[in-house]
Amino acid sequence: DAGVTQSPTHLIKTRGQQVTLRCSPKSGHDTVSWYQQALGQGPQFIFQYYEEEERQRGNFPDRFSGHQFPNYSSELNVNALLLGDSALYLCASSLDPGLPLYEQYFGPGTRLTVT
Amino acid sequence: GDSVTQMEGPVTLSEEAFLTINCTYTATGYPSLFWYVQYPGEGLQLLLKATKADDKGSNKGFEATYRKETTSFHLEKGSVQVSDSAVYFCALSERNTPLVFGKGTRLSVIA
């Protein structure tokens, strides 16, 4: 049973560019959450998708947007990249957002470097 | 808002030493508390959890007790191994709100 997978593993972009990160949830899971983990910091919640809609959102600007597909996979898009967007982006999947959020399974992350 | 404060690392211990990583929290209500572990090159894994005061979470020899009176959830292990080397995150969640993490504590165990 595959766990949460993310692609790509690493990515280098230039300031002002746009980037798309992808996540496939654990088999059977229908909810996807995205977190940003800056170097030396704990993960910070970006948003959560359920039934192809954004259900909750953290304190991130509109440059950060997402999408969930009918197969429950998800994309995170970041526009007009800033140097400060350099971080590890983690995807987590879970069943039913009505359940306690701690039942989340995390992927290995995508390391984004903005130059 | 809610927040989690962890002791700063890195923490370096010899194999079989006793481990304590301190964690305190601030929350408006009665959160659930968690410890996650991140091994090199991997995602976060839930290590243990506690959902109410005086609950003790335990897993793989690690333990943490939910102390409401001191707003703490310290992680302990009686005898660490080299394989325990990782970054440990304390986190909380209140009534299905997103997880709030501490900054993490890097543990290095040397043989």
Side-chain angles (χ1 to χ4, degrees):
Chain A
D1 175 26
V4 179
T5 60
Q6 293 185 242
S7 64
T9 305
H10 297 89
L11 204 52
I12 300 175
K13 289 287 188 178
T14 303
R15 274 178 299 176
Q17 286 188 316
Q18 179 264 346
V19 68
T20 297
L21 311 181
R22 295 176 175 82
C23 171
S24 292
K26 180 178 168 64
S27 178
H29 284 184
D30 57 9
T31 303
V32 173
S33 301
W34 287 92
Y35 292 80
Q36 181 195 65
Q37 185 179 7
L39 195 63
Q41 304 293 317
Q44 287 195 297
F45 176 74
I46 302 175
F47 43 53
Q48 182 187 73
Y49 276 83
Y50 173 67
E51 292 187 340
E52 301 181 48
E53 291 193 359
E54 183 180 291
R55 186 172 177 274
Q56 295 189 61
R57 188 179 182 92
N59 188 25
F60 278 80
D62 292 345
R63 297 188 297 109
F64 290 76
S65 63
H67 188 76
Q68 185 178 35
F69 299 94
N71 67 352
Y72 308 123
S73 66
S74 177
E75 288 182 349
L76 164 64
N77 301 293
V78 187
N79 294 322
L81 284 167
L82 304 174
L83 294 179
D85 294 332
S86 296
L88 180 68
Y89 288 85
L90 295 167
C91 171
S93 74
S94 58
L95 274 172
D96 187 349
L99 293 176
L101 277 183
Y102 58 73
E103 299 290 350
Q104 292 186 96
Y105 293 77
F106 283 83
T110 294
R111 172 73 62 187
L112 172 64
T113 302
V114 182
T115 63
Chain B
D2 294 353
S3 65
V4 174
T5 302
Q6 292 181 235
M7 63 185 285
E8 291 192 14
V11 174
T12 302
L13 295 174
S14 297
E15 210 166 21
E16 299 183 4
F18 185 85
L19 168 71
T20 299
I21 300 178
N22 291 336
C23 170
T24 57
Y25 68 89
T26 302
T28 53
Y30 300 97
S32 296
L33 301 175
F34 317 93
W35 277 100
Y36 280 84
V37 58
Q38 188 173 35
Y39 297 104
E42 298 184 17
L44 295 173
Q45 299 176 25
L46 178 63
L47 181 59
L48 53 84
K49 62 182 185 281
T51 58
K52 60 182 187 298
D54 299 326
D55 269 2
K56 176 185 283 188
S58 61
N59 186 27
K60 299 180 181 179
F62 291 89
E63 293 184 340
T65 301
Y66 190 143
R67 300 289 188 197
K68 184 171 176 292
E69 63 277 13
T70 55
T71 61
S72 65
F73 192 55
H74 304 321
L75 182 68
E76 296 181 336
K77 186 176 186 183
S79 175
V80 294
Q81 305 300 312
V82 172
S83 58
D84 294 326
S85 298
V87 181
Y88 292 82
F89 292 92
C90 185
L92 66 80
S93 174
E94 283 199 82
R95 288 189 293 179
N96 290 356
T97 57
L99 288 162
V100 175
F101 288 90
K103 291 186 177 182
T105 303
R106 182 176 298 279
L107 170 66
S108 294
V109 180
I110 54 178

